[in-house]
Amino acid sequence: GAAGFFKGIGKGLVGAVARPAGGIIDLASSTFQGIRRATESSEDVESLRPPRFIHEDGIIRPYRLREAIGMQVLQKIENGRFAKYKYFSHKIINDSDLFMITKSGVFFVTQGTFGQLTCDWQYSFDEFTKEPFVVDGRRLRIEAKERVKSVFHAKEYGKIVNFKSEADAKWILGKLQEVKESGTRDQHPKT
């Protein structure tokens, strides 16, 4: 009878409210489980490319892989010892050596057996006694102020860097001229 009728309507009304509410709770629960699984993934996220090099004027230019790699290398030399320097350019010499130009000087960088980067030698532009020049086609000559090298007083007056080609040596010479003309050479940072 009538009692069963009202009982059925009551169950129907309760079901009409409870079922959608249960569905919403299930939806939220499933969504949060998916988010949790995505954030708990054991895979490390790796960059696809080095971060963009931002020039000191702050203007964002098109991405250049060469500049990004150069800046990244500068940050890694001797575990960040040269990170304060302002990158300008670089040239790979061979599989383990590269020549780095900053706003304040030059470095000769070597990559060790286990990937560590070390600075074999460096000169600030203030130490140059004359403008660098190319000899024998592909050899860059840097003449600098006298340095006492060891206890036995061996003197050093500069370096010669052997590039792969004459074009590489001339390119680096052009970059050295550019950094000189930029006129904003920094003082040698404290390392």
Side-chain angles (χ1 to χ4, degrees), residues 163-180:
F163 288 96
K164 291 179 186 175
S165 68
E166 184 175 348
D168 289 352
K170 287 182 178 179
W171 186 86
I172 275 292
L173 200 57
K175 289 295 181 184
L176 286 167
Q177 189 64 33
E178 276 182 48
V179 76
K180 178 184 175 194

Side-chain angles (χ1 to χ4, degrees), residues 26-50:
D26 285 345
L27 172 73
S29 174
S30 300
T31 302
F32 287 126
Q33 284 176 353
I35 291 170
R36 187 181 60 202
R37 272 192 235 117
T39 58
E40 288 178 351
S41 72
S42 61
E43 296 176 32
D44 291 331
V45 178
E46 291 187 25
S47 297
L48 295 176
R49 64 182 195 185

Side-chain angles (χ1 to χ4, degrees), residues 99 101 104-107 121-133 140-145 147 157-158 176 179-180 185:
F99 186 77
I101 303 172
S104 58
V106 296
F107 308 133
W121 53 263
Q122 73 181 86
Y123 286 108
S124 70
F125 291 124
D126 296 335
E127 292 179 283
F128 285 17
T129 54
K130 62 162 70 170
E131 293 300 316
F133 56 96
L140 180 71
R141 173 85 177 140
I142 298 172
E143 294 189 10
K145 294 177 184 172
R147 286 185 181 173
Y157 296 98
L176 286 167
V179 76
K180 178 184 175 194
R185 291 195 291 203

Side-chain angles (χ1 to χ4, degrees), residues 36-190:
R36 187 181 60 202
R37 272 192 235 117
T39 58
E40 288 178 351
S41 72
S42 61
E43 296 176 32
D44 291 331
V45 178
E46 291 187 25
S47 297
L48 295 176
R49 64 182 195 185
R52 179 187 310 270
F53 170 64
I54 307 289
H55 293 263
E56 63 185 342
D57 59 10
I59 296 172
I60 297 182
R61 293 175 174 80
Y63 184 82
R64 290 192 181 118
L65 183 60
R66 162 181 261 293
E67 292 176 343
I69 289 171
M71 185 63 192
Q72 191 174 48
V73 166
L74 181 62
Q75 301 295 318
K76 289 181 179 179
I77 299 170
E78 296 181 13
N79 296 321
R81 179 175 160 213
F82 299 98
K84 294 177 187 168
Y85 289 78
K86 293 184 179 160
Y87 172 78
F88 190 79
S89 191
H90 74 282
K91 189 70 175 171
I92 294 173
I93 297 170
N94 56 40
D95 291 341
S96 63
D97 301 327
L98 69 92
F99 186 77
M100 177 79 61
I101 303 172
T102 68
K103 290 285 193 166
S104 58
V106 296
F107 308 133
F108 188 84
V109 180
T110 301
Q111 183 174 14
T113 309
F114 301 108
Q116 74 279 13
L117 298 170
T118 55
C119 178
D120 278 3
W121 53 263
Q122 73 181 86
Y123 286 108
S124 70
F125 291 124
D126 296 335
E127 292 179 283
F128 285 17
T129 54
K130 62 162 70 170
E131 293 300 316
F133 56 96
V134 175
V135 292
D136 299 332
R138 61 182 188 88
R139 301 173 74 191
L140 180 71
R141 173 85 177 140
I142 298 172
E143 294 189 10
K145 294 177 184 172
E146 178 182 323
R147 286 185 181 173
V148 175
K149 219 174 165 187
S150 69
V151 181
F152 303 109
H153 303 292
K155 293 180 182 175
E156 178 181 286
Y157 296 98
K159 296 287 184 184
I160 293 178
V161 182
N162 293 311
F163 288 96
K164 291 179 186 175
S165 68
E166 184 175 348
D168 289 352
K170 287 182 178 179
W171 186 86
I172 275 292
L173 200 57
K175 289 295 181 184
L176 286 167
Q177 189 64 33
E178 276 182 48
V179 76
K180 178 184 175 194
E181 289 170 1
S182 71
T184 56
R185 291 195 291 203
D186 299 330
Q187 294 299 321
H188 201 61
K190 305 281 187 264

